[in-house]
Amino acid sequence: MFMIDLNVPSLYKLLGVSPDADGKLIVKARGQLCGELQNKIDATRDPVEKKRLNEELLKISSAGTTLGKPADREKYDAENAHLRFYQERLSAMLFFTSKADRLAVLLRAFRAHLAAREVALSPVNDLYRDDFSADETPNELLDRLLR
């Protein structure tokens, strides 16, 4: 499913990886980002910028450590289960040009999430219905076809 990024902070977003990424990819991303930041820290002479870059380096290192350990990652994912609805997928961004499109996708995501947990939901409208056996609303065209 494709969703849009609503600027919700997460450790995955900080490292620039998908929540589906394996441990090796997370360690690689952490190493690359830490290396790039260390080069910037070494190159700058501004103490304020150096401090900001060091803080960013600590955040990235901490995120990589948390997501790199399976137990810590599982705990983080459980505590932040809501974040899976806000993952950015660039290939789908062009399809979400209106609020109605975004809301329709969110509705489908929430319905699928609840259905996976066996929560019974009534249909939003006839487009979501599977069973019309209890429908007694007269419809001439359909009644003629069913005779």
Side-chain angles (χ1 to χ4, degrees):
M1 173 176 54
F2 295 113
M3 298 304 293
I4 55 175
D5 178 17
L6 299 177
N7 290 326
V8 177
S10 78
L11 298 183
Y12 295 105
K13 186 174 181 178
L14 183 64
L15 292 175
V17 297
S18 166
D20 301 334
D22 63 355
K24 290 179 184 178
L25 185 60
I26 289 172
V27 170
K28 181 180 177 183
R30 175 186 175 212
Q32 277 183 315
L33 290 172
C34 286
E36 291 171 9
L37 277 173
Q38 191 59 54
N39 289 340
K40 288 180 184 179
I41 291 169
D42 294 341
T44 188
R45 293 176 187 246
D46 181 17
V48 175
E49 180 68 8
K50 202 172 267 228
K51 182 179 178 185
R52 186 190 69 77
L53 290 171
N54 274 318
E55 289 171 1
E56 192 174 339
L57 181 67
L58 286 173
K59 286 180 189 176
I60 289 172
S61 181
S62 175
T65 301
T66 299
L67 296 179
K69 296 178 182 173
D72 291 347
R73 182 177 180 178
E74 188 174 314
K75 181 181 176 189
Y76 175 80
D77 287 343
E79 291 172 353
N80 297 283
H82 63 285
L83 293 177
R84 76 174 141 222
F85 290 112
Y86 302 106
Q87 299 305 317
E88 183 175 2
R89 312 278 193 212
L90 294 177
S91 61
M93 294 301 281
L94 299 176
F95 296 115
F96 298 110
T97 56
S98 74
K99 289 181 182 178
D101 292 338
R102 291 188 288 263
L103 289 174
V105 170
L106 284 172
L107 174 66
R108 284 197 305 268
F110 288 126
R111 291 184 71 81
H113 176 76
L114 293 173
R117 281 148 185 78
E118 299 178 0
V119 176
L121 297 172
S122 59
V124 177
N125 58 37
D126 284 344
L127 294 175
Y128 292 94
R129 289 177 63 185
D130 296 330
D131 180 21
F132 292 91
S133 61
D135 188 5
E136 296 181 12
T137 308
N139 185 319
E140 287 183 37
L141 178 62
L142 290 176
D143 291 341
R144 269 190 272 139
L145 291 172
L146 294 174
R147 288 184 205 158

